[in-house]
Amino acid sequence: MTWTYGDQRASHPLPLAVSSRAAVGQPVRAGDVLASGSVLANGIRVDGARRLGVAPADLARVMRVRVGSEVEGGAILARTGRRFARAVSAPVDGRVLHVRSDGDIELAPVVGRWAVRSVLDGVVTRSSDAEVVVEGAAWALRGIAAYGPDAVGELARVSDASEELVPSRIDVRQQGRILIAGGRAGAEAIARGHACGAAAVVAATVPASGLRMLFGDDVSAHGASGPVDAPTVLCLAGFGTGALPDAVFAPFRALDGVRAAVHTASAALFVFAPETAFAPAAAPPLELAADWGSVRAAAV
Amino acid sequence: MIATTAAAAPVVTTAPPLRLVLVASPDRRVPARAVALGSGADVVLEVTLGHAHPFVELASDLRGARPDVVLVSAGSGETQGVADALEALAVACEGARMPAVLLAVDERMARRLLPATRGAGERIVDVARGRDDAVARLRALRSGGPARPGRVEAEARAHTRVQAQTTLTVDVGEDGASLVLVSPGGALTSLHTALGCGPSVDALVAGGGLDRVRRWIPRAIDAPALLDRVFSRARWPEARPATTLTLAIELALLREAIARLIALAERAGIDVAPLRAAPGVVAGGALARLAPSQTVLVLLDALGPDATTLVSRSVDATIEPLALVTVPAVGRGASVRVADANGVTDERVTRGALFVVRTSGAPRVSVGGEERSVASSLAVGVVVDARGRPLELPPRDAERLPAVARWHAALDALPSEPAS
């Protein structure tokens, strides 16, 4: 766990039903929308090729709407242009999700919208309906595991090195900020930060039982992206109790108020400060302490 | 002896196991699970046909599962259900590579389903009748370095050749756990899971529950502290225990890894009785790197052999005999006779007893008229286990803690901590 500056790469997996996404080569800033799409309810299967009397492979030829487009109830989905025309129309408002290999059409009502935002200042280097990849220069600090959605905000140091993050230090003035704790952050502090609108909590350690309280019993030691209404937590050193080595924590003193982002999938904190903002020192390796649940710097 | 090194950097795992999605009708779910266990694949999602799986929900689950391969096993009455699952898979894989789809269905059904696989499908024989073929096909799809199943099977065959008797190889490592039973005739029962004592240790605990691990620890420990240790342990797979307490947790996790694999085998309809009746057991992987008495106790507790068994370990391709375990039927006047270089020892056996008779040279054991001898000396000795089968732990801490501590003490499995 050491600060590094250089070209970083962040992959943003996309949910189902992408409506729009950034093109390769497009410059983006952290927080910009990379892709957006629809949240779908359970779909309806509409007779397609059979109803029109065409072969499944020929359905694409007679489709009047593209797969992925949103239609109103009654809209014509496909139509044969013969003298005795046959048509397939949408029974409800929804999105044309998929054309099956047997020629039927899956139509799903739209119940919401989603958006995926960039966690890097940089350029889109890959874009598909499955993921968008952005590459750009930033300071990076890789942690052990991260939970919740990606987050973007300004850094705010709320506890000193080795100090536990206490809930009373958090209030609504930290709305939209990424809270930095040099020691442990418990479930109460994380929940309070989320309630006060903090973008994320970055801490040396987080108790595993606290993560279960926040994210459910299925939470793993390897992190997981969560729903947008969940808190974002980046666990830098481990689980239980522990403190950040000074070589890791000291740069945060110079980075208060600087724009940053937490990338959950890679458990990384990206900080958008110039390369000259600080000189990183080599951090000692961490080790599992002999007691039940703590980590410590090997050299301490 | 306890290893005193606690330092180790978080280690990234080696080649990951195949991520497998099972799509099966209720009557074929069990043999499909058996195929998964034989291949060592990680079952990331199970879709049971006939149950309600809304299309969008299924597509979303499949996208989240990121499968490398989908195994379909269904009868002809489930054609529509399988077609729905494959269409949902196509939606889930928009913009990404379609995973391989293995169709263990009849030929007519396969003809109807193959178009829905977008060119990624192939028909294989029914998993119930052609389990070995399906396992081989799944293994062939795995890429990225040597696979655990093949390595452990090769070792297990070598163990059986050396021991000249049916031998069960129990290998628990950072990347998974394996049970491979090989008879001298070459018959093979091979079970593998990606749940080992390394990065997946948190999943091991999440699946079985924390209490299944805690019950084996001979000290009172609160659940949050144990969970912290397990989570940190998952990110430090190479970390070794530095205290008696952390060593006890390691032993408990190894027991749970074996117990989970046995439970998965039972869920997959595999008869585990032959595993427990094997006359020889060889420990491998992390299990073999423990102190001899610890290896023996973990195997006794987790595997629960129900016949006289020679327990050995394999270190650097050398098999070291550790203990001859006898499981006497406890009745009035039950006793065990052990003859070795020092003479003959008669031990009375009471219900619930677990003790070791230290031996010198090649011992011979007589239990209830049955005699068994070993050609070489044993690192631990003759272990008499009369705790009954299946082994049941007292549910209340007040009874369980002394019982588990007594078992550890009987084999001298945990060193006493230095007085502070």
Side-chain angles (χ1 to χ4, degrees):
Chain A
M1 185 182 38
T2 307
W3 285 97
T4 54
Y5 184 87
D7 277 340
Q8 314 294 342
R9 184 176 189 274
S11 165
H12 304 75
L14 304 182
L16 292 180
V18 176
S19 297
S20 65
R21 55 182 159 82
V24 172
Q26 182 179 325
V28 290
R29 270 172 65 85
D32 287 355
V33 172
L34 285 178
S36 61
S38 315
V39 179
L40 304 175
N42 285 317
I44 298 162
R45 186 172 168 180
V46 181
D47 274 356
R50 266 176 301 167
R51 187 180 171 93
L52 296 174
V54 298
D58 292 337
L59 183 67
R61 198 170 42 80
V62 295
M63 287 283 285
R64 292 290 187 264
V65 291
R66 283 188 300 110
V67 173
S69 53
E70 287 178 17
V71 295
E72 291 182 353
I76 302 289
L77 300 178
R79 187 174 188 276
T80 52
R82 297 178 198 155
R83 185 174 173 197
F84 299 104
R86 288 183 187 177
V88 173
S89 55
V92 293
D93 293 0
R95 179 185 170 105
V96 180
L97 179 63
H98 180 60
V99 175
R100 300 169 62 111
S101 57
D102 61 5
D104 285 353
I105 299 165
E106 290 285 347
L107 183 77
V110 177
V111 293
R113 304 281 167 195
W114 56 258
V116 169
R117 295 173 185 277
S118 174
V119 293
L120 276 174
D121 291 354
V123 176
V124 175
T125 56
R126 190 190 146 120
S127 179
S128 74
D129 281 353
E131 65 166 357
V132 176
V133 177
V134 177
E135 291 182 20
W139 282 99
L141 184 60
R142 307 270 168 188
I144 288 282
Y147 303 86
D150 293 344
V152 180
E154 291 176 359
L155 295 177
R157 194 163 41 86
V158 284
S159 80
D160 225 327
S162 79
E163 210 179 0
E164 178 165 349
L165 176 60
V166 289
S168 60
R169 290 244 181 116
I170 303 167
D171 58 42
V172 290
R173 283 174 298 176
Q174 278 125 5
Q175 188 170 12
R177 295 190 158 212
I178 295 174
L179 310 183
I180 305 296
R184 173 184 184 272
E188 301 88 348
I190 295 166
R192 184 175 168 88
H194 185 55
C196 290
V201 171
V202 177
T205 55
V206 179
S209 53
L211 290 169
R212 278 193 168 185
M213 284 168 64
L214 293 165
F215 298 99
D217 285 349
D218 294 339
V219 75
S220 93
H222 301 270
S225 297
V228 284
D229 56 349
T232 300
V233 181
L234 173 57
C235 185
L236 288 173
F239 304 93
T241 56
L244 290 179
D246 199 52
V248 174
F249 188 75
F252 282 121
R253 296 192 179 100
L255 293 172
D256 245 0
V258 173
R259 219 160 43 85
V262 174
H263 187 226
T264 307
S266 62
L269 175 70
F270 298 125
V271 180
F272 308 111
E275 190 175 3
T276 53
F278 62 91
L286 294 171
E287 66 178 18
L288 263 183
D291 59 16
W292 291 113
S294 56
V295 289
R296 65 184 174 206
V300 175
Chain B
M1 188 192 78
I2 311 176
T4 52
T5 313
V11 171
V12 178
T13 56
T14 52
L18 210 57
R19 294 174 67 84
L20 174 67
V21 168
L22 291 181
V23 178
S25 46
D27 59 321
R28 299 190 183 207
R29 196 171 47 180
V30 168
R33 285 177 186 156
V35 169
L37 272 184
S39 68
D42 186 10
V43 180
V44 289
L45 183 66
E46 234 184 77
V47 179
T48 305
L49 298 167
H51 294 192
H53 289 294
F55 188 82
V56 172
E57 209 172 285
L58 181 56
S60 190
D61 289 349
L62 286 165
R63 177 167 284 210
R66 292 177 290 112
D68 299 313
V69 59
V70 176
L71 174 63
V72 177
S73 178
S76 53
E78 300 283 359
T79 307
Q80 195 51 56
V82 176
D84 286 348
L86 294 176
E87 296 293 349
L89 181 68
V91 172
C93 294
E94 262 173 26
R97 191 179 56 85
M98 187 89 170
V101 180
L102 302 182
L103 297 168
V105 297
D106 64 49
E107 208 168 333
R108 190 172 158 206
M109 193 171 164
R111 268 201 308 276
R112 286 188 63 188
L113 292 172
L114 278 170
T117 66
R118 271 66 177 168
E122 68 171 283
R123 182 176 174 257
I124 59 171
V125 292
D126 178 38
V127 291
R129 280 182 283 122
R131 176 174 178 258
D132 291 347
D133 292 343
V135 166
R137 189 68 197 97
L138 274 176
R139 286 189 190 180
L141 288 169
R142 190 178 182 277
S143 59
R148 152 173 280 274
R151 176 182 61 77
V152 179
E153 280 176 15
E155 288 172 8
R157 288 194 173 95
H159 297 157
T160 300
R161 270 197 305 276
V162 170
Q163 300 219 328
Q165 63 181 356
T166 299
T167 301
L168 174 69
T169 296
V170 183
D171 187 298
V172 184
E174 278 78 27
D175 58 340
S178 303
L179 292 170
V180 181
L181 181 74
V182 184
S183 70
L188 181 82
T189 304
S190 183
L191 309 168
H192 311 271
T193 169
L195 297 172
C197 62
S200 59
V201 76
D202 58 326
L204 186 71
V205 170
L210 201 59
D211 280 344
R212 286 187 61 85
V213 175
R214 192 164 60 158
R215 66 190 176 139
W216 292 111
I217 301 171
R219 307 281 171 91
I221 176 170
D222 64 303
L226 179 57
L227 197 61
D228 282 340
R229 180 75 195 183
V230 168
F231 268 46
S232 286
R233 181 69 181 69
R235 304 314 306 262
W236 270 267
E238 300 294 320
R240 283 182 285 164
T243 64
T244 304
L245 293 171
T246 45
L247 175 60
I249 296 176
E250 294 296 311
L251 299 183
L253 290 170
L254 286 166
R255 286 183 182 98
E256 179 57 12
I258 299 168
R260 172 62 75 81
L261 183 50
I262 291 172
L264 287 172
E266 285 171 335
R267 236 178 117 228
I270 294 167
D271 182 14
V272 296
L275 307 181
R276 294 194 167 116
V281 175
V282 178
L287 194 57
R289 293 195 293 271
L290 298 168
S293 60
Q294 292 161 3
T295 303
V296 173
L297 185 61
V298 167
L299 279 171
L300 270 183
D301 291 343
L303 184 65
D306 51 18
T308 302
T309 306
L310 174 64
V311 176
S312 312
R313 68 175 175 181
S314 170
V315 181
D316 299 331
T318 307
I319 297 178
E320 179 192 1
L322 300 180
L324 190 61
V325 174
T326 67
V327 187
V330 180
R332 186 173 291 177
S335 68
V336 173
R337 171 169 287 191
V338 179
D340 66 355
N342 295 334
V344 177
T345 310
D346 282 311
E347 293 282 355
R348 285 186 62 79
V349 183
T350 55
R351 191 181 301 277
L354 174 70
F355 58 89
V356 182
V357 180
R358 307 281 172 191
T359 55
S360 170
R364 197 172 67 251
V365 179
S366 305
V367 185
E370 185 199 348
E371 196 162 285
R372 176 93 185 261
S373 59
V374 184
S376 55
S377 61
L378 301 168
V380 175
V382 174
V383 177
V384 180
D385 184 358
R387 294 178 294 175
R389 295 288 185 270
L391 181 58
E392 281 173 8
L393 277 77
R396 291 174 51 230
D397 274 8
E399 294 156 7
R400 180 185 56 80
L401 289 174
V404 176
R406 203 166 51 243
W407 297 339
H408 280 85
L411 269 77
D412 204 10
L414 287 179
S416 54
E417 283 182 299
S420 55

